[in-house]
Amino acid sequence: QVQLVESGGGLVQAGGSLRLSCAASGRTFSSYGMGWFRQAPGKEREFVAGMIWSGGTYVQDSVKGRFTISRDNAKNTVYLQMNNLKPEDTAVYYCAAGPRLYGAYLYSERNYDYWGQGTQVTVSS
């Protein structure tokens, strides 16, 4: 059974940092595109960052320069390093995996086959 399990969320003050992890099990995801999405209360889920199987990364403009996505294929794990957090970053963060995603396909949640359960990130002002 394929599972994605996020961890690392929590409460942090504005300007602080968190690192989210997404551990995948049930299959090897080295050929998959991996993405991080978030959903704030009352808003639609939105793309945050994505990474293709060869290492190329894509980051939403609002988090560019603050968030970094990376992956460790040997550990089947993808990370989201979040620095200089702002209250507007408060949301539930989800990781997702989709086969051979690249480029613009990473941005749409419809292209992902597997999702984690989400982890809450709360940034206080």
Side-chain angles (χ1 to χ4, degrees):
Q1 184 179 356
V2 175
Q3 271 194 315
L4 300 178
V5 180
E6 301 99 335
S7 61
L11 173 64
V12 64
Q13 288 188 331
S17 298
L18 285 173
R19 188 176 82 154
L20 305 183
S21 299
C22 173
S25 62
R27 67 167 301 137
T28 300
F29 284 87
S30 57
S31 64
Y32 274 58
M34 303 296 294
W36 285 98
F37 289 76
R38 67 185 181 186
Q39 188 167 22
K43 295 187 176 181
E44 293 187 353
R45 190 157 55 185
E46 64 174 358
F47 172 82
V48 176
M51 191 169 193
I52 64 175
W53 67 93
S54 59
T57 61
Y58 300 79
V59 181
Q60 186 205 99
D61 286 346
S62 67
V63 304
K64 200 166 290 184
R66 301 188 296 122
F67 290 13
T68 303
I69 185 171
S70 61
R71 67 195 293 171
D72 185 335
N73 286 335
K75 295 182 178 180
N76 238 13
T77 300
V78 64
Y79 305 96
L80 184 67
Q81 178 66 44
M82 306 186 295
N83 298 327
N84 190 21
L85 282 159
K86 303 176 180 181
E88 52 264 41
D89 295 318
T90 295
V92 177
Y93 283 70
Y94 301 89
C95 74
R100 300 195 177 279
L101 294 181
Y102 63 94
Y105 293 102
L106 287 163
Y107 287 79
S108 174
E109 61 181 275
R110 295 175 298 178
N111 296 323
Y112 291 83
D113 290 348
Y114 304 106
W115 290 84
Q117 83 289 349
T119 185
Q120 176 71 46
V121 171
T122 303
V123 184
S124 63
S125 57

